[in-house]
Amino acid sequence: GEDVKPFTPEKAKEIVMSLQQPAVFCNMAGDWPALQWNVKYLSAVLDGKTIQFRLGLKTVDLVPQFETMCSYVEATLEEFLAWSCGEPSCLSGPFSCYEYSKYWAYADYKYIARVFEDKPEIFQDVRWSDFGFPGRSGKESTLWIGSEGANTPCHLDSYGCNLVLQVQGRKKWHLFPPGDTSFLYPTRIPYEESSVFSKVNVTNPDLKRFPEFRNTTAHVVTLSPGQVLLIPRHWWHYVESVDPITVSINSWIELDADHEARVEEAITRMLVCAIKSAENPSDGDLWLNPTEVEVTSHEINLQYLNEAVSAYFRCQKASVSEQAHPSSTAAEQRTSASCKKRKREADCEPEGSRLSTHKLGFSVFKAEKSQEIPFGPHLIQVLPQSQETSLIGAAAVKSDGGALLHENKGGHFGKLHCTRTQLVTSNDCEMPAHEVDADGNPNSSQTALSTNDLLDCLVNPRVISLVARLLLERTRV
């Protein structure tokens, strides 16, 4: 009667490291103690400890609700639970200014290692070793607790791939492939190291400002408790809680490609900080995401760039040496702590520098290309949306290749409501309606390019990738 998982750790790791499209693992975490981590349980474990919640409006707008636009409160999980249940005690608590019907709350990016630093035994409740990553537990994971409507703006992560366990409630994921990057209008404002945001509100896009969004291919799935979602490298994702309370746990899996990505991030940081710091502070442009510690100096950013380049070449040298002298332990190299969002945790930074070089041990595991991905009831492929299926709603369709999962909500783009009196908003300026022509476009005679317009072009992922390669070629000589 022993519960046998559908995939061995070795096979699960092969899938994670080789699959280039999102998929949902089923029946892989049913025996994890972490599945007991509902908000009531976590509230008892934390015993009155406060954590920060981000609060946003539930109203639907044509622009994303970035973290710079949100409010923040410190509260206990008990207070959060009471607020989400509409209890009268919330009239005087930290959520007293935020009506539940109008706001959502999100305790996001909470590193389990810090939240439960005085209860390290709880780390073992999370068992990523079942996916082929021995020793990886809650200590290398992040906790997310939200109310209905809580969301993360559409973005891609510069580093690694992502495994997400749903614990309580359901979350809806809108995923877009890396090839859709230009259609999603990437921006680094607000700036957050390792996150590239989209200017588009993907659930209610402004197609006048962002017409190329029509060319995107959305993959939509609602993740239920016990399921684990794989988000491959550089897949865009917008995530929203659809139930009154949701709890998720994720871990970013390091990849060899992260070494070059780190160089790209160092270049981006240097350019964004240099240009935005030169602006008049009185402009009031909240360009630095609240998750960033501070605006780092040009000297520190240059140091980080040099360290990132050095780390890249050390990795290249180690890889060549490993090929010449293979080691039985090399395939299991991994990090002792995932610093995906390193600026959120000061512990992830080396002494003497505000910026870490992410000196991580990377797996050199190579998946066997010859073996096909075993899609089926235990590994569900997340299908793209299509015109043909947009009116069907949620469906799980089986074929000879196994189970296919897709979900659609009404139309592909949602309904747009625009009036001639609305403001046309860019990152750091507002344009009154009289400066908009009959087609809803800015009058050329009135248009003035902003610093953010320049940055959107200058630090576009394609441009930065080219600059990084040129820089590495120069350094290699």
Side-chain angles (χ1 to χ4, degrees), residues 120-148:
E121 65 278 0
I122 204 171
F123 300 157
Q124 302 311 312
D125 287 1
V126 183
R127 301 173 177 173
W128 297 115
S129 56
D130 284 347
F131 286 85
F133 302 97
R136 186 182 291 258
S137 65
K139 190 175 182 181
E140 296 83 29
S141 306
T142 311
L143 183 66
W144 310 70
I145 303 171
S147 66
E148 182 179 359

Side-chain angles (χ1 to χ4, degrees), residues 206-255:
D206 185 344
L207 296 179
K208 284 189 176 292
R209 289 186 63 202
F210 310 116
E212 291 297 313
F213 182 74
R214 293 184 177 92
N215 299 321
T216 61
T217 304
H219 296 61
V220 183
V221 60
T222 298
L223 201 64
S224 298
Q227 296 179 332
V228 175
L229 174 65
L230 165 65
I231 302 108
R233 181 175 188 261
H234 286 183
W235 272 72
W236 292 82
H237 45 285
Y238 166 85
V239 194
E240 182 172 338
S241 298
V242 296
D243 283 329
I245 293 178
T246 62
V247 177
S248 306
I249 298 169
N250 88 293
S251 191
W252 285 280
I253 308 300
E254 303 78 19
L255 301 172

